[in-house]
Each structure stands twice: as C-alpha cells, then as structure tokens.
Amino acid sequence: MASDLFASDAKLTPYWWDRTPRPALPDVAPPKAVDVLVVGSGYTGLSAALQTARGGRSTLVLDAEDAGWGCSTRNGGQISTSIKPGYEELARRHGPETAARIVKDGQNSLAWIGDFVASEQIDCDFKVVGRFHAAHGPRHYDALALRVANQPKDLGIEAHMVSRAEQRGELGSDAYHGGVVYPRHASVDPARLHQGMLDRVLTSGGGVVAHCRVTALRRNGGGFEVETARGIVSARNVVVATNGYTGEVTPWLRRRVIPIGSYIIATEPLPRETMARLMPKARVISDTRKVVYYYRPSPDGSRILFGGRVSADETDPRVSGPRLQAEMVRLFPELAGTRISHSWCGFVAYTFDELMHVGEQDGLHYATGYCGSGVGMACYLGMRLGQQVLGLREGQTGLNATSFPTRPFYSGNPWFLAPSVAYYRWRDRIAA
Ligand SMILES: Cc1cc2nc3c(=O)[nH]c(=O)nc-3n(C[C@H](O)[C@H](O)[C@H](O)COP(=O)(O)OP(=O)(O)OC[C@H]3O[C@@H](n4cnc5c(N)ncnc54)[C@H](O)[C@@H]3O)c2cc1C
C-alpha cells in the first residue's frame, strides 16, 4: 500500500470480516413464487424477513452481492437511538404528539435491540457501555446542555453532562469542550449481529439467495413480478431494504435518499495501558461535528476503530485510511505513527429531513434513510416493517406519520454532496 501508515498485511475489507467472513450460502436459483420477497440482506431486510417467515409467510431475501455485503457488516457497531433532530425541532415540524412518538421510536429501538439480542441469544459482543458525545466547540457544549434540559421528562431519556474539567474520566484527549453521556447506548460486533439474524431467518424457514440482483419490479394483479439476475419471481408483497445502495429499480425511493460514503479504519493492537488511558470506560464515542467522527475500542479492547468522512468527494480506502489516522492523531497525539490494519467504507443513506422513513408506496414496503446511524434502528424498523406486511397494528410507528421529502430535480445523483461536505468540514474546523 502507498502509505507506510498501513501495516504490511493491512486489508481493505472490514475488520469484522476477519472473524465473521461473508457467509457461504448454497448457490441455488430463487423459487418461482413466494409470499414476501425482500430486496437487500442487511439488518432491515433480515429483520423484516424474520417477522414474515415466523408469521407463516413464505419469505425470500435476495441480495445483489454476498449476504450482508452492505453497511450492516461494515459499520462501527455503535448503537444509539438514531434520531438526529431534537424533540423541539421535531415538534416544530410535526407537532408535539408526533414528535414525542418519534423520540419514543428511538428509545424503543434502543431497548428492543438489547432485548432481541438477549432473547435470541445472539453471540455478538453486545454491551451497554454508554456513549460519550463530545462537543467540538464551547457553543456546542451549551447546545448539548440545552438539548438535554429540554427533553420531555416523561420519556425517561437518560443523559448527563460532563464538563471539560471532568473529560479525562471519559476520554484521554483535551481536544473537546466536554460533552454528554448517554449511559444506555451500546456497542456490538456488527457482523456477528448480522450473522445471528441471518441464521435465525434460515432456521425460521426463510430463503436467502446471494448474488441475485433485482433488476426490475412490475405490478402484477394484486402482487409483483420481480425480475432478478436469476429469473423471474412472483411475490404477493415486496419489501425494499436497499438503503444506501438504493438504485434505479425503485426510482421513487432513489429520489428521497442521498447515498454518502462513510469511511473507517482499525488500528493495529495497542498496549493495554494506552487503551485504558485513551478510552477508560470503553464507551462508544462521537462528536458534535456536522461531519462527525465516531470511534470506539474493538470488542476485545485491543485496538481503536475510528470512522468519519475525510474528503469532500467519495474516495478510496487507500486514501481515506491515512487521513482518518491523521484525524485520530489530532485527537490523541500519542498515537502518532500508529499503523492501520484495516481500512474500508460503505454507503449510508441520508435524507432531506435527517430522519429515517418507513411505510408503503405504490404497494412496495420500505424502511430506509438511517442517516449513518442505523444499527439498532434498522433492526427495529425492519421488525416493524415485517409486522406492517403481516397487517399487524403494532407495526405502526411515529415515523409512519411523517411524509418522505425529496427536492426538485433530485433523481439520486447527489451532485451537491462534495461542496456541502467541504463547507461543513470547513465550519467544523473553525468551530474546533
Ligand atoms: C463505515 C460505516 C460505519 C457505520 N457506523 C455505524 C455505527 O457505528 N452505528 C450505527 O448505528 N450505524 C452505523 N452505520 C450505518 C448502518 O450500518 C446502516 O444504517 C445499516 O446497516 C443499514 O442497514 P440496511 O439493512 O438498511 O442496509 P445495508 O446493510 O446497506 O443493506 C442493503 C443491501 O441491499 C443490497 N441491494 C441493493 N440493491 C439491490 C438490488 N437491486 N437487488 C438486491 N440487493 C440489492 C446491497 O447489496 C446491500 O447488501 C455505519 C455505516 C458505515 C458504512
């Protein structure tokens, strides 16, 4: 590799894939007809499929690549409530009742994922470690404090402020201006979580076929005719779970999601004392930058996984790796010279209102737009979506009550992304 910051055996695949390689599924053609066909085998698709398969519907999941090839096995494994806008902002847009329901959806997703992992006994290093969300400027600390103070009390959101003077108890860096701790946020090995879900779909009777891209969707009577790389399948219901990889097959959704690359590295193992000094509570960490950095210790506590976006345009993990390492060293100067063992990326889906969306359009069921924060929420909304396909009332969420915005002339090619990212990175730098 070009930079000597890469270890000699560095990989351009996710760190998680070393322990959990992409699954070898039987190489079979899809059946001719099913009740429910799910496009995309990430958390959203598998979680929906688990509901419909267990609900007695013949269920087939198709993926254009390996099972779980998308974000669901590439992410940082940080679990939050995923709802970015605060309650006040949501109340301005949607009224207090829907706002409270959306905030509650976030809380429910966080509680649900812990219960799900425990009840299904999924071996995935799930731990409620808490999050330190750090303020990159003094104004941002004040804004965090205001947001914490203005949360509706009856929603029971746990959070406490940590001043700059107390910060070293959370993080071995003086680069921030204090922050907030969310004690219920969690960490997980994302590929182990995905594998656990995949195993449960298969044992519940669901079928999963990899390397079988869906190339066209046509209405056919009460259902759909689904054209795939390996033949036509007819389905009563179709679930679209393609998130940051949404393509031309679903133009309505493509006009509503903005695919953005997120980049991440793993360091080589670090001395135990260094890890204890830098991340004394082993929390997941993020910051208030608009172009956020997120990082955490690996589940075995031996190395740092550091993610973010380090260029305006999409780039190559060979380029993003050393840049992420440089940002990490800016926060933790003692890590200068630390080498990269893995550098990789994936495409997340942003939306124009910074909210995820779930519902039905032209007969297609969908859940998407987690805005870079979908580990818990994609699992949860996929589950709710599966319930919606089954016609169950409990499938409805507060997020179903919001409309899914687009912008004039936007058809899925985010030409505005590079200048926007450049602008926000500049603002973040000034604030810091
Ligand atoms: C580097 C990185 C770090 C992240 N870190 C975090 C984090 O720490 N915490 C957090 O909460 N979130 C994080 N995320 C986001 C999170 O991973 C996603 O929100 C979540 O995994 C989305 O799951 P999904 O099932 O909706 O989509 P995906 O897992 O992306 O799955 C979509 C699938 O659809 C398939 N597909 C697309 N088109 C077709 C087609 N036509 N036919 C068949 N299949 C198709 C793709 O091949 C893909 O496998 C991160 C993402 C990245 C990339």
Side-chain angles (χ1 to χ4, degrees), residues 42-44 63-64 70-72 75-76 78 214 242-243 294 348 372-375:
Y43 301 139
T44 305
D63 204 291
C71 289
S72 298
N75 63 73
Q78 303 198 359
V214 170
T242 50
N243 205 45
Y294 53 91
V348 304
S373 178
V375 175

Side-chain angles (χ1 to χ4, degrees), residues 228-267:
T228 81
R230 302 180 71 176
I232 289 176
V233 184
S234 55
R236 189 161 11 128
N237 299 111
V238 172
V239 168
V240 183
T242 50
N243 205 45
Y245 300 90
T246 298
E248 286 163 10
V249 172
T250 51
W252 186 87
L253 278 177
R254 197 164 179 242
R255 289 199 60 213
R256 283 160 177 80
V257 295
I258 308 160
I260 301 184
S262 188
Y263 298 80
I264 184 165
I265 53 171
T267 65

